[in-house]
């Protein structure tokens, strides 16, 4: 995608709505300071995909809530039933 727009092109960000970024990323995928540019960074997602990013964020939040709120206590109960209570840490 960067090749289509050029290294200095500003793009709207799906993560920040109207925020623009113009960080230089060379053809090897390096930032200006020579570190590896993070491909999955939300500020590199074009704004046209904001609804997809929002939907993914909502589903991921919902899934983690289910894992922590529902599965966590059940797992702790099952572990205790099988292995017994652990002694508290000193």
């Amino acid at each position: 995608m960067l090749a289509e727009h050029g290294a200095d092109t500003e793009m709207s960000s799906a993560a920040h709505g109207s925020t623009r970024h113009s960080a230089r990323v060379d053809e090897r995928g390096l930032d200006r300071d020579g570190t590896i540019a993070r491909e999955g960074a939300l500020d590199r997602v074009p704004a046209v995909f904001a609804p997809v990013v929002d939907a993914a964020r909502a589903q991921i939040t919902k899934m983690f809530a289910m894992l922590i709120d529902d599965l966590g206590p059940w797992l702790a109960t099952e572990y205790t039933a099988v292995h017994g209570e652990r002694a508290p840490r000193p």
Side-chain angles (χ1 to χ4, degrees):
M1 176 158 171
L2 287 173
E4 295 172 28
H5 299 289
D8 292 321
T9 301
E10 292 185 0
M11 294 185 294
S12 295
S13 165
H16 304 291
S18 62
T19 301
R20 311 284 278 177
H21 78 92
S22 59
R24 289 184 67 93
V25 178
D26 70 12
E27 66 278 353
R28 297 174 301 155
L30 300 178
D31 282 331
R32 241 183 271 178
D33 62 0
T35 58
I36 297 172
R38 184 173 165 220
E39 289 187 39
L42 290 176
D43 64 347
R44 295 185 65 194
V45 177
V48 68
F49 295 109
V52 176
V53 171
D54 293 340
R57 183 178 286 132
Q59 288 299 317
I60 291 166
T61 300
K62 184 177 168 182
M63 183 57 66
F64 273 114
M66 188 272 306
L67 288 173
I68 291 169
D69 298 338
D70 299 338
L71 189 59
W74 174 82
L75 217 74
T77 301
E78 290 297 309
Y79 182 89
T80 301
V82 172
H83 300 287
E85 287 281 329
R86 284 186 61 186
R89 291 185 178 180

